[in-house]
Amino acid sequence: MVIIDYYSNLGKDDRKVFRDEVMARCGIQYPTFYRKMKKDNWRKPEVEIIAAIIKRMGGAKGGSR
């Protein structure tokens, strides 16, 4: 699954949780997070971290938008 697809399927609250955890664990700033999302320009270690976050959050899910 492309990261942006997963992110788009999250509810508003889950998006914030996901974004904040990715930023903290990858050591990136808010603008960098959205730039990487837009361009799908993640480094391999970042993808591995994000995959672990997605797995922990239970994969793709809906929720409130």
Side-chain angles (χ1 to χ4, degrees), residues 6-21 33-34 53 56-57 61-65:
Y6 173 77
Y7 181 77
S8 296
N9 286 322
L10 292 174
K12 183 179 179 181
D13 294 337
D14 288 336
R15 284 182 186 184
K16 183 182 182 318
V17 170
F18 177 78
R19 181 195 66 219
D20 291 349
E21 187 167 349
F33 173 82
Y34 283 105
I53 294 168
R56 186 190 56 75
M57 290 182 74
K61 55 184 172 181
S64 60
R65 288 185 183 217

Side-chain angles (χ1 to χ4, degrees), residues 7-62:
Y7 181 77
S8 296
N9 286 322
L10 292 174
K12 183 179 179 181
D13 294 337
D14 288 336
R15 284 182 186 184
K16 183 182 182 318
V17 170
F18 177 78
R19 181 195 66 219
D20 291 349
E21 187 167 349
V22 169
M23 287 172 25
R25 293 190 55 199
C26 292
I28 60 175
Q29 299 293 318
Y30 186 90
T32 305
F33 173 82
Y34 283 105
R35 185 172 44 252
K36 286 178 175 277
M37 289 291 281
K38 183 177 179 180
K39 294 183 178 186
D40 192 26
N41 189 24
W42 300 97
R43 295 178 297 149
K44 186 174 181 174
E46 294 169 335
V47 171
E48 292 170 359
I49 290 168
I50 292 168
I53 294 168
I54 290 171
K55 184 175 180 182
R56 186 190 56 75
M57 290 182 74
K61 55 184 172 181

